[in-house]
Amino acid sequence: MKHYWQNIQQYLLISISLSFVTGIILHHLFPFPQNITTNLALLFFIPALFFIRKPPVSRTLFFLLLFVCSLGFLRMAHYQEHFVLETNIYSTITDETDVVLSGTLHSMPLFDGEKSIILLNSRALRKKQDDRFTPVTGLVTLKLYKKLPDIYSPGDELLIRCKLSRPYRFGNPGGFDYPAFLAAKDISLIGRIASTAHIHALQYEGNLLRKLRYLPEQIRRDIRDFLDTHIAPDHAAIYRALLIGDRAGIDRARLESFKGSGVMHIFAISGIHLSLVASALFLVFYWLLRRSSFLLLRFPCKKLALLSTIPFLTTYALLAGAQTPVLRSLIMVVVFIVAFCAQRQRSSFTTLAFAALLILIENPLSLFTVSFQLSFIAVASLIFVFPKLKQWIQVSNDRTSISIPLHKKILPWIVAALLVSITATFGTAPLLLHYFNRISTVGPLANLLLEPLLCLWSLPIGLTAIPFMYIAPSFAEFLLSIGSGGITTALYLSDFFSNLSFSTVWFATPSIALILCYYFAIFFCFSKYSLKFSIPLFFLVCILFFFPPRSFPRYFSTKSELVFIDVGQGSATLLTLPQGKTILVDGGGASSKTFDVGERVIAPYLWHRGIIQLDAILISHPDADHYNGIPFLLKRFRPEILWINGDSDYDQNYYNLLNLAKSLDIEIRKTENEMIVLKKKGAKLQNIANPFQNDEKASSNDKSLILRFSHGNFSCILPGDISKRVEQKLLHNGAVLQANTLLSPHHGSKTSSSFPFLKKVNPQHIIVSAGRFRPEHFPSVELRKYCTTHTIPLFNTALHGAIRINITHETMTITPFKKQPYTK
């Protein structure tokens, strides 16, 4: 125990940083009011003062770390409190509201070819029913599905009519937490602008401080406009990402190429960019300072050169938008520079911990962002192996005499660079899988080739061209054309690597426990423990990433399960039969050119459940809100069979989906009337005869497959989008419709769910799969009244999130993601 406290005392700053992190995590898990947290901090601070000059040291350290932990708890509570203040715009908006909003254009607007993203620092707000403006504070991000006119510049005061709402998270376990993502950026609300006619500039008095405040954003806009008008679009988009941190111009296919080749991080300005810029500036300044014998003899030129890079790095960070990841990287690099110049480099881990502490004091929510975690884990991994790499390079150089060819002298450095990339990949792999479910097998090699091209060629030349954009535009264009050579080669290599069949491996989402086991196993491999124990442990943990432990119980289960996934205005139902058989009924919902519901909503839920392959996918009918997410699912989950209703009246997107299934050797089957689609251990999915399924004159909705799932005493009807006309025909034909649970036809709209149909089904529960923007129509007023009158629980994915039904032969349990479970 004494040795333990000695290590804490020796690495006190690291211990303090970890204690602060612990406090933040504790508040995230167990939030308390700020006044209680303050009392806890004082409770631990008083004993720390009492023991600070008295032995034993262990008591002082114990209460000191508890005090720091409570400070982390308090800082988190205080930071989150400003979102619920009465003056914050977040507190004034609960549902989607039409408002007139005034505020300052906070940053350079982004445009991705489809929509503009506008960040507004709000000042005042007026709702439709109000007769005056109310002062508010807080950042708001607005979407305009056009390009914002160039007459508006960062720092302008604007008056905008828009619809505001709180950020929405799809209510599925394992899904992307969009509200938390925006909160980490201090953004309170999101909104939509219908037209540029709803934007008006206001007169304001611009003092010097205001002009200086928004000058970097105006320069960013000038750089973007220059690149767009003087460089080829593909090259301009890459330059914008490298120079000003604007990735909006990179199209989706190009982004996928970068992800597949494992080089996506190059286009997010981070520590690597600032480190390379700092290194280049240091070499220039050091060379210039050494030209003066006066400075060389009287001052530490190396330290002066390093300190001289800080103003330029700060300028680059501002040009990159001063976003949270950029500022975090700036703090990390500056802390390392100051530590070196102050000769306080006792441990690189201590310096890294101090940088993390500064960042978390400023914004504790950064701890839960992907970029923060990846940045610090990657740097920590490199620090961990750097001494061994340095020793290996030094030994290699010592063995290399002057007579050895140059290429053999360079070879150790190339191998070291490759090992650095591999180290960063291994260090961040669990987090990449947890957040993105994919890892690039060619990433280390691709980074070895692409990073020099972009970061040592195109980036320095692009930065050099920036001042000439104002004083000599033709020369700036000439410089950028030289730098474009590196971009052209990088794009070619990126496409080459990403097109390799083995370039990307997809995984189910690993649990937090498995991630911790991975890092413990790595620690044991590099510690004093026996390699006979640590290496097999490491390989065992790695195997568990390929075969997720959470999926094992499913293969031995005798239960069934239905999950109505929250996909917005659409439908996706996951059926799990005994022994782990899985089938997805429909897979469509809210989508756009930049948002694929299959990739962003359905697949993350499946990965979260440990599912890496589906046995079958069934499409009830070819409407986009029932199939537009399935192409991604076909490629990533490779079902054996794709069931369809055989409707020949479909659009080009559905035609492309069928061709994709054929190219992937997925069997396409038409579901006939009364056919049993899947059967296992007393559970079965059967198609009820739809009298209009083969009627060419019927609408696409009325041709929907009508499915009945049963297991023991439980049954559920999945009727697609059938209308009242089909419902009446089913009643006339005497179809077996009785069921415990009904998925309301056509998302609960008034065109379906006739009272005779509901009376025949006689459900104990009704599920509505709908979006949140038209709650008065989905579900309809009539359906809500019927459920109220007959005391039938009505579950809506827009309100309750994913609705999970666990089934045995005798019981069923309904568990909405956002509510307490209901057992029958």
PDB file of all heavy atoms in Angstrom, residues 554-577:
ATOM      1  N   ARG A 554     -28.313 -15.771 -27.383  1.00  0.00           N
ATOM      2  CA  ARG A 554     -29.392 -15.805 -28.373  1.00  0.00           C
ATOM      3  C   ARG A 554     -29.479 -17.167 -29.072  1.00  0.00           C
ATOM      4  O   ARG A 554     -30.570 -17.647 -29.410  1.00  0.00           O
ATOM      5  CB  ARG A 554     -29.155 -14.691 -29.401  1.00  0.00           C
ATOM      6  CG  ARG A 554     -30.326 -14.457 -30.322  1.00  0.00           C
ATOM      7  CD  ARG A 554     -30.156 -13.219 -31.166  1.00  0.00           C
ATOM      8  NE  ARG A 554     -29.082 -13.349 -32.133  1.00  0.00           N
ATOM      9  CZ  ARG A 554     -27.965 -12.636 -32.113  1.00  0.00           C
ATOM     10  NH1 ARG A 554     -27.791 -11.745 -31.164  1.00  0.00           N
ATOM     11  NH2 ARG A 554     -27.032 -12.799 -33.027  1.00  0.00           N
ATOM     12  N   TYR A 555     -28.321 -17.810 -29.289  1.00  0.00           N
ATOM     13  CA  TYR A 555     -28.312 -19.079 -30.022  1.00  0.00           C
ATOM     14  C   TYR A 555     -28.844 -20.246 -29.186  1.00  0.00           C
ATOM     15  O   TYR A 555     -29.152 -21.299 -29.737  1.00  0.00           O
ATOM     16  CB  TYR A 555     -26.891 -19.381 -30.492  1.00  0.00           C
ATOM     17  CG  TYR A 555     -26.358 -18.346 -31.454  1.00  0.00           C
ATOM     18  CD1 TYR A 555     -25.334 -17.485 -31.092  1.00  0.00           C
ATOM     19  CD2 TYR A 555     -26.903 -18.209 -32.735  1.00  0.00           C
ATOM     20  CE1 TYR A 555     -24.848 -16.520 -31.962  1.00  0.00           C
ATOM     21  CE2 TYR A 555     -26.432 -17.255 -33.617  1.00  0.00           C
ATOM     22  CZ  TYR A 555     -25.404 -16.409 -33.221  1.00  0.00           C
ATOM     23  OH  TYR A 555     -24.935 -15.455 -34.090  1.00  0.00           O
ATOM     24  N   PHE A 556     -28.948 -20.071 -27.885  1.00  0.00           N
ATOM     25  CA  PHE A 556     -29.441 -21.146 -27.024  1.00  0.00           C
ATOM     26  C   PHE A 556     -30.805 -20.794 -26.417  1.00  0.00           C
ATOM     27  O   PHE A 556     -31.316 -21.535 -25.587  1.00  0.00           O
ATOM     28  CB  PHE A 556     -28.438 -21.415 -25.897  1.00  0.00           C
ATOM     29  CG  PHE A 556     -27.053 -21.731 -26.389  1.00  0.00           C
ATOM     30  CD1 PHE A 556     -26.064 -20.755 -26.437  1.00  0.00           C
ATOM     31  CD2 PHE A 556     -26.737 -23.014 -26.841  1.00  0.00           C
ATOM     32  CE1 PHE A 556     -24.800 -21.033 -26.905  1.00  0.00           C
ATOM     33  CE2 PHE A 556     -25.468 -23.310 -27.307  1.00  0.00           C
ATOM     34  CZ  PHE A 556     -24.493 -22.314 -27.342  1.00  0.00           C
ATOM     35  N   SER A 557     -31.385 -19.699 -26.852  1.00  0.00           N
ATOM     36  CA  SER A 557     -32.641 -19.233 -26.266  1.00  0.00           C
ATOM     37  C   SER A 557     -33.823 -19.956 -26.882  1.00  0.00           C
ATOM     38  O   SER A 557     -33.830 -20.306 -28.071  1.00  0.00           O
ATOM     39  CB  SER A 557     -32.775 -17.720 -26.472  1.00  0.00           C
ATOM     40  OG  SER A 557     -34.024 -17.272 -26.024  1.00  0.00           O
ATOM     41  N   THR A 558     -34.857 -20.171 -26.070  1.00  0.00           N
ATOM     42  CA  THR A 558     -36.122 -20.718 -26.554  1.00  0.00           C
ATOM     43  C   THR A 558     -37.184 -19.632 -26.666  1.00  0.00           C
ATOM     44  O   THR A 558     -38.340 -19.914 -26.956  1.00  0.00           O
ATOM     45  CB  THR A 558     -36.616 -21.826 -25.602  1.00  0.00           C
ATOM     46  OG1 THR A 558     -36.794 -21.274 -24.289  1.00  0.00           O
ATOM     47  CG2 THR A 558     -35.623 -22.983 -25.550  1.00  0.00           C
ATOM     48  N   LYS A 559     -36.791 -18.389 -26.428  1.00  0.00           N
ATOM     49  CA  LYS A 559     -37.714 -17.264 -26.470  1.00  0.00           C
ATOM     50  C   LYS A 559     -37.701 -16.617 -27.854  1.00  0.00           C
ATOM     51  O   LYS A 559     -36.787 -16.810 -28.654  1.00  0.00           O
ATOM     52  CB  LYS A 559     -37.339 -16.223 -25.420  1.00  0.00           C
ATOM     53  CG  LYS A 559     -37.342 -16.750 -23.983  1.00  0.00           C
ATOM     54  CD  LYS A 559     -36.902 -15.664 -23.019  1.00  0.00           C
ATOM     55  CE  LYS A 559     -36.870 -16.183 -21.586  1.00  0.00           C
ATOM     56  NZ  LYS A 559     -36.428 -15.127 -20.641  1.00  0.00           N
ATOM     57  N   SER A 560     -38.715 -15.821 -28.101  1.00  0.00           N
ATOM     58  CA  SER A 560     -38.771 -14.980 -29.298  1.00  0.00           C
ATOM     59  C   SER A 560     -38.785 -13.517 -28.877  1.00  0.00           C
ATOM     60  O   SER A 560     -39.029 -13.195 -27.706  1.00  0.00           O
ATOM     61  CB  SER A 560     -40.011 -15.292 -30.131  1.00  0.00           C
ATOM     62  OG  SER A 560     -39.932 -16.575 -30.695  1.00  0.00           O
ATOM     63  N   GLU A 561     -38.555 -12.676 -29.859  1.00  0.00           N
ATOM     64  CA  GLU A 561     -38.508 -11.239 -29.544  1.00  0.00           C
ATOM     65  C   GLU A 561     -38.882 -10.431 -30.774  1.00  0.00           C
ATOM     66  O   GLU A 561     -38.493 -10.763 -31.902  1.00  0.00           O
ATOM     67  CB  GLU A 561     -37.098 -10.869 -29.071  1.00  0.00           C
ATOM     68  CG  GLU A 561     -36.926  -9.407 -28.717  1.00  0.00           C
ATOM     69  CD  GLU A 561     -35.480  -9.086 -28.369  1.00  0.00           C
ATOM     70  OE1 GLU A 561     -34.698  -8.842 -29.300  1.00  0.00           O
ATOM     71  OE2 GLU A 561     -35.151  -9.100 -27.169  1.00  0.00           O
ATOM     72  N   LEU A 562     -39.657  -9.381 -30.564  1.00  0.00           N
ATOM     73  CA  LEU A 562     -39.949  -8.393 -31.603  1.00  0.00           C
ATOM     74  C   LEU A 562     -39.434  -7.045 -31.124  1.00  0.00           C
ATOM     75  O   LEU A 562     -39.632  -6.677 -29.966  1.00  0.00           O
ATOM     76  CB  LEU A 562     -41.454  -8.269 -31.870  1.00  0.00           C
ATOM     77  CG  LEU A 562     -42.119  -9.315 -32.762  1.00  0.00           C
ATOM     78  CD1 LEU A 562     -42.452 -10.545 -31.946  1.00  0.00           C
ATOM     79  CD2 LEU A 562     -43.379  -8.735 -33.397  1.00  0.00           C
ATOM     80  N   VAL A 563     -38.796  -6.319 -32.011  1.00  0.00           N
ATOM     81  CA  VAL A 563     -38.349  -4.967 -31.697  1.00  0.00           C
ATOM     82  C   VAL A 563     -38.813  -4.046 -32.820  1.00  0.00           C
ATOM     83  O   VAL A 563     -38.428  -4.234 -33.981  1.00  0.00           O
ATOM     84  CB  VAL A 563     -36.817  -4.878 -31.533  1.00  0.00           C
ATOM     85  CG1 VAL A 563     -36.418  -3.437 -31.205  1.00  0.00           C
ATOM     86  CG2 VAL A 563     -36.320  -5.822 -30.454  1.00  0.00           C
ATOM     87  N   PHE A 564     -39.647  -3.085 -32.461  1.00  0.00           N
ATOM     88  CA  PHE A 564     -40.086  -2.061 -33.411  1.00  0.00           C
ATOM     89  C   PHE A 564     -39.109  -0.899 -33.287  1.00  0.00           C
ATOM     90  O   PHE A 564     -39.151  -0.123 -32.329  1.00  0.00           O
ATOM     91  CB  PHE A 564     -41.520  -1.629 -33.097  1.00  0.00           C
ATOM     92  CG  PHE A 564     -42.498  -2.771 -33.139  1.00  0.00           C
ATOM     93  CD1 PHE A 564     -42.794  -3.498 -31.989  1.00  0.00           C
ATOM     94  CD2 PHE A 564     -43.094  -3.129 -34.326  1.00  0.00           C
ATOM     95  CE1 PHE A 564     -43.689  -4.550 -32.029  1.00  0.00           C
ATOM     96  CE2 PHE A 564     -43.996  -4.193 -34.378  1.00  0.00           C
ATOM     97  CZ  PHE A 564     -44.286  -4.908 -33.223  1.00  0.00           C
ATOM     98  N   ILE A 565     -38.209  -0.796 -34.246  1.00  0.00           N
ATOM     99  CA  ILE A 565     -37.100   0.158 -34.183  1.00  0.00           C
ATOM    100  C   ILE A 565     -37.602   1.557 -34.523  1.00  0.00           C
ATOM    101  O   ILE A 565     -38.419   1.734 -35.439  1.00  0.00           O
ATOM    102  CB  ILE A 565     -35.976  -0.268 -35.158  1.00  0.00           C
ATOM    103  CG1 ILE A 565     -35.528  -1.706 -34.839  1.00  0.00           C
ATOM    104  CG2 ILE A 565     -34.791   0.678 -35.076  1.00  0.00           C
ATOM    105  CD1 ILE A 565     -34.557  -2.275 -35.860  1.00  0.00           C
ATOM    106  N   ASP A 566     -37.110   2.535 -33.793  1.00  0.00           N
ATOM    107  CA  ASP A 566     -37.462   3.934 -34.059  1.00  0.00           C
ATOM    108  C   ASP A 566     -36.667   4.421 -35.265  1.00  0.00           C
ATOM    109  O   ASP A 566     -35.454   4.621 -35.183  1.00  0.00           O
ATOM    110  CB  ASP A 566     -37.148   4.786 -32.829  1.00  0.00           C
ATOM    111  CG  ASP A 566     -37.452   6.260 -33.062  1.00  0.00           C
ATOM    112  OD1 ASP A 566     -38.150   6.574 -34.038  1.00  0.00           O
ATOM    113  OD2 ASP A 566     -36.981   7.090 -32.255  1.00  0.00           O
ATOM    114  N   VAL A 567     -37.350   4.587 -36.406  1.00  0.00           N
ATOM    115  CA  VAL A 567     -36.706   5.040 -37.643  1.00  0.00           C
ATOM    116  C   VAL A 567     -37.320   6.347 -38.137  1.00  0.00           C
ATOM    117  O   VAL A 567     -37.120   6.735 -39.287  1.00  0.00           O
ATOM    118  CB  VAL A 567     -36.789   3.966 -38.750  1.00  0.00           C
ATOM    119  CG1 VAL A 567     -35.918   2.773 -38.422  1.00  0.00           C
ATOM    120  CG2 VAL A 567     -38.246   3.545 -38.979  1.00  0.00           C
ATOM    121  N   GLY A 568     -38.079   7.028 -37.289  1.00  0.00           N
ATOM    122  CA  GLY A 568     -38.781   8.214 -37.749  1.00  0.00           C
ATOM    123  C   GLY A 568     -40.031   7.796 -38.505  1.00  0.00           C
ATOM    124  O   GLY A 568     -40.691   6.808 -38.173  1.00  0.00           O
ATOM    125  N   GLN A 569     -40.363   8.536 -39.566  1.00  0.00           N
ATOM    126  CA  GLN A 569     -41.553   8.228 -40.358  1.00  0.00           C
ATOM    127  C   GLN A 569     -41.236   7.080 -41.303  1.00  0.00           C
ATOM    128  O   GLN A 569     -40.865   7.279 -42.461  1.00  0.00           O
ATOM    129  CB  GLN A 569     -42.018   9.466 -41.135  1.00  0.00           C
ATOM    130  CG  GLN A 569     -43.392   9.328 -41.778  1.00  0.00           C
ATOM    131  CD  GLN A 569     -44.500   9.195 -40.752  1.00  0.00           C
ATOM    132  OE1 GLN A 569     -44.388   9.667 -39.630  1.00  0.00           O
ATOM    133  NE2 GLN A 569     -45.586   8.548 -41.128  1.00  0.00           N
ATOM    134  N   GLY A 570     -41.363   5.878 -40.814  1.00  0.00           N
ATOM    135  CA  GLY A 570     -41.042   4.689 -41.588  1.00  0.00           C
ATOM    136  C   GLY A 570     -41.341   3.465 -40.763  1.00  0.00           C
ATOM    137  O   GLY A 570     -42.109   3.507 -39.799  1.00  0.00           O
ATOM    138  N   SER A 571     -40.722   2.346 -41.137  1.00  0.00           N
ATOM    139  CA  SER A 571     -40.993   1.106 -40.413  1.00  0.00           C
ATOM    140  C   SER A 571     -39.804   0.172 -40.516  1.00  0.00           C
ATOM    141  O   SER A 571     -39.202   0.019 -41.590  1.00  0.00           O
ATOM    142  CB  SER A 571     -42.241   0.418 -40.982  1.00  0.00           C
ATOM    143  OG  SER A 571     -42.539  -0.751 -40.258  1.00  0.00           O
ATOM    144  N   ALA A 572     -39.449  -0.449 -39.392  1.00  0.00           N
ATOM    145  CA  ALA A 572     -38.416  -1.478 -39.343  1.00  0.00           C
ATOM    146  C   ALA A 572     -38.670  -2.314 -38.094  1.00  0.00           C
ATOM    147  O   ALA A 572     -38.658  -1.789 -36.987  1.00  0.00           O
ATOM    148  CB  ALA A 572     -37.020  -0.860 -39.303  1.00  0.00           C
ATOM    149  N   THR A 573     -38.915  -3.601 -38.294  1.00  0.00           N
ATOM    150  CA  THR A 573     -39.221  -4.505 -37.181  1.00  0.00           C
ATOM    151  C   THR A 573     -38.259  -5.681 -37.211  1.00  0.00           C
ATOM    152  O   THR A 573     -38.158  -6.376 -38.230  1.00  0.00           O
ATOM    153  CB  THR A 573     -40.669  -5.024 -37.275  1.00  0.00           C
ATOM    154  OG1 THR A 573     -41.568  -3.917 -37.362  1.00  0.00           O
ATOM    155  CG2 THR A 573     -41.019  -5.861 -36.060  1.00  0.00           C
ATOM    156  N   LEU A 574     -37.575  -5.886 -36.114  1.00  0.00           N
ATOM    157  CA  LEU A 574     -36.624  -7.002 -35.996  1.00  0.00           C
ATOM    158  C   LEU A 574     -37.286  -8.145 -35.244  1.00  0.00           C
ATOM    159  O   LEU A 574     -37.750  -7.973 -34.120  1.00  0.00           O
ATOM    160  CB  LEU A 574     -35.357  -6.552 -35.258  1.00  0.00           C
ATOM    161  CG  LEU A 574     -34.335  -7.656 -34.969  1.00  0.00           C
ATOM    162  CD1 LEU A 574     -33.733  -8.182 -36.272  1.00  0.00           C
ATOM    163  CD2 LEU A 574     -33.234  -7.144 -34.045  1.00  0.00           C
ATOM    164  N   LEU A 575     -37.321  -9.316 -35.885  1.00  0.00           N
ATOM    165  CA  LEU A 575     -37.849 -10.519 -35.260  1.00  0.00           C
ATOM    166  C   LEU A 575     -36.701 -11.469 -34.954  1.00  0.00           C
ATOM    167  O   LEU A 575     -35.880 -11.766 -35.843  1.00  0.00           O
ATOM    168  CB  LEU A 575     -38.854 -11.230 -36.174  1.00  0.00           C
ATOM    169  CG  LEU A 575     -40.297 -10.719 -36.203  1.00  0.00           C
ATOM    170  CD1 LEU A 575     -40.376  -9.340 -36.848  1.00  0.00           C
ATOM    171  CD2 LEU A 575     -41.190 -11.696 -36.950  1.00  0.00           C
ATOM    172  N   THR A 576     -36.645 -11.917 -33.716  1.00  0.00           N
ATOM    173  CA  THR A 576     -35.652 -12.910 -33.319  1.00  0.00           C
ATOM    174  C   THR A 576     -36.385 -14.143 -32.840  1.00  0.00           C
ATOM    175  O   THR A 576     -37.147 -14.093 -31.868  1.00  0.00           O
ATOM    176  CB  THR A 576     -34.746 -12.379 -32.195  1.00  0.00           C
ATOM    177  OG1 THR A 576     -34.144 -11.157 -32.618  1.00  0.00           O
ATOM    178  CG2 THR A 576     -33.654 -13.383 -31.872  1.00  0.00           C
ATOM    179  N   LEU A 577     -36.170 -15.262 -33.516  1.00  0.00           N
ATOM    180  CA  LEU A 577     -36.831 -16.512 -33.188  1.00  0.00           C
ATOM    181  C   LEU A 577     -35.940 -17.362 -32.287  1.00  0.00           C
ATOM    182  O   LEU A 577     -34.758 -17.035 -32.108  1.00  0.00           O
ATOM    183  CB  LEU A 577     -37.185 -17.275 -34.471  1.00  0.00           C
ATOM    184  CG  LEU A 577     -38.486 -16.855 -35.176  1.00  0.00           C
ATOM    185  CD1 LEU A 577     -38.392 -15.425 -35.681  1.00  0.00           C
ATOM    186  CD2 LEU A 577     -38.788 -17.796 -36.336  1.00  0.00           C
TER     187      LEU A 577
END
